[in-house]
Amino acid sequence: MTRVGIFGGSFNPVHLGHLSLAERARSELDLDKVLFVPSYRTPLKDPKALMPASLRLSCLRQAVKARKYFAVSNYEIRQKGISYTVDTLGHFRRKFGPKTTLYFLAGADAAKNFSRWKSPDKVIKLCRFVVFSRPGFSPPRAGREFLQVHFPALDISSSEIRRRWLAGMSLKGIVPAEVEQALKRYKRKVLVTSKLKKRSI
């Protein structure tokens, strides 16, 4: 029986906290693979705060390319529109078949809002739902107990990373070096394109 972790989210952008959680999931749950699935749009988050989907996807691919047990799927980005976990899990259930157990990886904050998700009962039937949380956090009940893994999350905020990136500050120690370089290249490209447009007016 193959065991695959499905790690969804906006990854806005991916950072070392995400990678640490994925590695913890792989070791704690004995996963054969962790599949990162960046959303196109997340229903419970402000779309205006999202980096372009192509940039988030590119950063993720850079972050995992040297990690044997990690991979990236562009399924939700290809679908466009709002990304719902129940639809994504249905896709991977059909893709991998009955001989694969899916483990959906979620942080404590996501689990707190679980009752607001689309078809939460169906989500639970499609996977083993894993909540990564700090000690003392009790995940909600959803027909059966969630799997719970204690994980003292790194103090890293995607919004702070975006602020530092836009200000031209170093991202060393909070994102992989490859991701920082990808963000720098994108920023230079945007600046060059903006200057060319101004000259053509």
Side-chain angles (χ1 to χ4, degrees), residues 129-139 145-150:
F129 197 103
V130 187
V131 179
F132 288 81
S133 62
R134 295 180 179 86
F137 172 82
S138 296
E145 292 291 339
F146 289 165
L147 291 176
Q148 186 173 4
V149 176
H150 291 309

Side-chain angles (χ1 to χ4, degrees), residues 1-2 41 44 46 57 71 93 101 104 126-127 130 172 194:
M1 183 70 76
T2 304
R41 273 188 56 198
L44 300 179
D46 181 3
L57 180 63
R93 169 52 56 225
T101 302
F104 185 79
L126 287 166
C127 68
V130 187
K172 185 177 180 179
S194 177

Side-chain angles (χ1 to χ4, degrees), residues 93-161:
R93 169 52 56 225
R94 293 187 295 273
K95 178 181 175 67
F96 290 118
K99 292 185 178 180
T100 296
T101 302
L102 300 180
Y103 290 77
F104 185 79
L105 313 180
D109 289 344
K112 283 192 298 185
N113 292 319
F114 185 71
S115 63
R116 298 173 59 193
W117 290 24
K118 179 183 177 182
S119 305
D121 292 340
K122 189 174 181 180
V123 168
I124 291 298
K125 292 177 181 177
L126 287 166
C127 68
R128 302 298 306 277
F129 197 103
V130 187
V131 179
F132 288 81
S133 62
R134 295 180 179 86
F137 172 82
S138 296
R141 296 178 180 273
R144 65 179 179 180
E145 292 291 339
F146 289 165
L147 291 176
Q148 186 173 4
V149 176
H150 291 309
F151 179 72
L154 301 179
D155 188 19
I156 300 175
S157 160
S158 289
S159 59
E160 175 62 14
I161 292 172

Side-chain angles (χ1 to χ4, degrees), residues 20-33:
S20 295
L21 187 150
E23 185 55 48
R24 181 67 173 268
R26 192 186 72 80
S27 60
E28 288 282 329
L29 303 171
D30 193 26
L31 302 177
D32 297 286
K33 178 190 293 186

